[in-house]
């Protein structure tokens, strides 16, 4: 595992530093007597990278919840205050009463700054503290956990978040007409970018909406990874000629552009893409690609910021799989994909437009003008 990271991890700053960071975890791995102890040592070493696109998977592996694919709360430090900036709509965190703008005071009765300090152990800067905060708020894989939060100027509230069984039932894509004239196609992908069958459903939805003057593509539920083949297939419905859609770069190698070819009759009208912190991995790739090849307008918040194009390797003996970014990925304009921001940013703490979905509201407001 350690050698795979040292050899191919696209964001490794220094081999010597990586060896130093993993040294205490290597001792724990060598002393492990159970698979659980070995997994804890491996995950401890990987956590030193503070990269949510690096993780282990496999049968029987006692892993923590992944960010953002298995979490409902996004938070960041504002000075010395841990602030919630986004909560998934209708999630268990939403139901419990968490919302953007709240300050997190404690996790399971322990001061949040202490929890984060213990996770990063003084290593890394603000990015590492934000990473540790989001992992602290992820909660356990099952059961409930308690957060102490405070609204601006309000008293301390203790909220219990109870995990419920997750369901993946339902169609892979939601399609309907919206707007005052019901002439705008709204397509919402439901965390299905890994499903090759999505392409068929997407084509059917576009055909159903063929008379729409504009399309809103909602990628706010694409947190669970995906297939680059599916991404290219969707991109192909929005280009009239072969076009570069992203640029990849491995350590020590030249940049290489990826190109997409047209597929079917392209949609060439106004295109708006909705994004938020749960637009992750291939969801981010699709959003950035549509920005590059279809002049899409991105509306929402910053995305998950998962870095690079991932590779998966099988670890010997354990049968576990290690996933990590082996190539950096950039927008065709040179911007690192993880740094891409929406054209229209929506403040979820102080949203405009009244009750309802503030991101969708901004999309409809924009398209009604066109």
């Amino acid at each position: 595992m350690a050698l795979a990271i040292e050899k191919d991890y696209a964001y490794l700053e220094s081999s010597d530093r990586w060896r130093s960071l993993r040294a205490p975890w290597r001792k724990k791995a060598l002393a492990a007597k159970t698979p659980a102890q070995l997994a804890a040592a491996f995950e401890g070493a990987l956590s030193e990278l503070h990269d949510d696109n690096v993780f282990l998977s496999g049968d029987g592996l006692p892993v923590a919840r992944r960010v953002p694919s298995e979490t409902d709360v996004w938070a960041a430090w504002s000075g010395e205050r841990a602030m919630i900036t986004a909560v998934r709509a209708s999630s268990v965190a939403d139901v419990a009463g968490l919302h953007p703008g709240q300050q997190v005071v404690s996790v399971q009765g322990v001061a949040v700054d202490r929890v984060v300090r213990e996770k990063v152990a003084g290593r890394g800067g603000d990015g590492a503290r934000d990473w540790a905060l989001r992992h602290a708020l992820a909660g356990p894989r099952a059961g409930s956990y308690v957060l102490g939060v405070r609204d601006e100027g309000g008293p301390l509230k203790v909220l219990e978040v109870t995990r419920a069984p997750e369901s993946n039932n339902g169609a892979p894509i939601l399609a309907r007409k919206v707007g005052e004239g019901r002439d705008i196609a709204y397509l919402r992908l439901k965390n299905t970018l890994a499903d090759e069958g999505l392409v068929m459903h997407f084509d059917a939805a576009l055909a159903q909406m063929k008379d729409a003057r504009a399309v809103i593509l909602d990628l706010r539920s694409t947190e669970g990874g995906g297939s680059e083949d599916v991404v290219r297939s969707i991109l192909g419905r929005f280009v009239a000629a072969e076009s570069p859609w992203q640029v990849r770069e491995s350590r020590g190698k030249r940049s290489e552009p990826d190109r997409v070819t047209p597929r079917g009759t392209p949609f060439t009208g106004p295109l708006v893409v909705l994004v938020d912190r749960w637009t992750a991995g291939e969801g981010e790739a699709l959003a950035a690609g549509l920005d590059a090849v279809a002049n899409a307008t991105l509306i929402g918040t910053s995305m998950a910021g998962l870095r690079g194009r991932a590779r998966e390797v099988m670890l010997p003996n354990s049968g576990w799989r290690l996933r990590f970014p082996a190539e950096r990925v950039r927008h065709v304009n040179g911007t690192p994909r993880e740094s891409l921001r929406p054209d229209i940013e929506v403040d979820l703490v102080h949203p405009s437009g009244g009750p309802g979905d503030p991101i969708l509201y901004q999309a409809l407001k924009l398209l009604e003008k066109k």
Side-chain angles (χ1 to χ4, degrees), residues 11 53 228 231 245-248 280-289 303-310 323 325 327-331 333-341:
Y11 298 89
N53 213 13
E228 198 170 275
V231 169
W245 67 280
Q246 69 174 10
V247 179
R248 293 178 287 111
E282 296 306 324
E284 294 177 88
L286 179 54
M303 296 180 280
L306 295 188
R307 300 191 295 180
R309 187 182 193 224
R323 181 183 173 94
E327 294 176 291
R328 296 186 182 227
V329 180
R330 298 182 183 276
H331 189 285
N333 65 12
T335 303
R337 189 179 69 196
E338 65 271 16
S339 300
L340 187 65
R341 302 180 72 89

Side-chain angles (χ1 to χ4, degrees), residues 10 62 74 79 107 129 217 267 276 298-299 312:
W74 193 275
V107 180
R129 293 180 73 224
L217 182 59
F267 178 84
D276 68 3
L298 273 55
I299 298 180
E312 196 170 87

Side-chain angles (χ1 to χ4, degrees), residues 275-360:
V275 297
D276 68 3
R277 293 299 190 177
W278 289 273
T279 307
E282 296 306 324
E284 294 177 88
L286 179 54
L290 289 169
D291 182 76
V293 304
N295 196 30
T297 300
L298 273 55
I299 298 180
T301 71
S302 293
M303 296 180 280
L306 295 188
R307 300 191 295 180
R309 187 182 193 224
R311 175 184 302 169
E312 196 170 87
V313 298
M314 183 72 72
L315 301 183
N317 303 321
S318 67
W320 296 333
R321 297 178 298 279
L322 170 65
R323 181 183 173 94
F324 64 95
E327 294 176 291
R328 296 186 182 227
V329 180
R330 298 182 183 276
H331 189 285
V332 294
N333 65 12
T335 303
R337 189 179 69 196
E338 65 271 16
S339 300
L340 187 65
R341 302 180 72 89
D343 301 291
I344 299 175
E345 294 200 50
V346 178
D347 182 355
L348 298 181
V349 177
H350 304 291
S352 61
D357 184 338
I359 294 177
L360 179 58

Side-chain angles (χ1 to χ4, degrees), residues 35 58-62 320:
D59 294 338
L61 189 64
W320 296 333

Side-chain angles (χ1 to χ4, degrees), residues 139-219:
R141 181 153 293 280
S144 62
Y145 66 110
V146 175
L147 298 178
V149 299
R150 180 179 285 119
D151 292 314
E152 188 67 36
L156 177 68
K157 296 190 292 187
V158 178
L159 302 179
E160 183 176 11
V161 181
T162 302
R163 293 290 177 197
E166 297 180 3
S167 172
N168 293 320
N169 295 332
I173 182 170
L174 170 66
R176 66 171 185 258
K177 293 282 187 68
V178 296
E180 292 182 2
R182 292 296 184 267
D183 55 358
I184 299 171
Y186 172 82
L187 307 176
R188 183 180 183 111
L189 305 189
K190 296 183 177 180
N191 198 22
T192 51
L193 285 174
D195 182 2
E196 299 287 344
L198 172 64
V199 176
M200 176 184 67
H201 289 281
F202 189 83
D203 288 347
L206 272 187
Q208 179 186 350
M209 305 284 180
K210 62 182 179 181
D211 58 341
R213 66 176 180 86
V215 168
I216 297 174
L217 182 59
D218 193 338
L219 300 182

Side-chain angles (χ1 to χ4, degrees), residues 78-154:
S78 177
E80 295 304 311
R81 300 198 304 166
M83 304 300 297
I84 295 176
T85 59
V87 175
R88 295 193 73 174
S90 303
S91 67
V92 293
D94 186 10
V95 171
L98 295 174
H99 60 78
Q102 287 176 323
Q103 177 187 354
V104 180
V105 178
S106 63
V107 180
Q108 296 288 63
V110 180
V112 67
D113 57 341
R114 176 182 170 185
V115 173
V116 168
R117 191 166 58 248
E118 290 176 352
K119 276 186 175 292
V120 297
R123 295 186 290 272
D126 291 342
R129 293 180 73 224
D130 287 345
W131 174 89
L133 173 61
R134 290 190 281 272
H135 280 260
L137 298 182
R141 181 153 293 280
S144 62
Y145 66 110
V146 175
L147 298 178
V149 299
R150 180 179 285 119
D151 292 314
E152 188 67 36

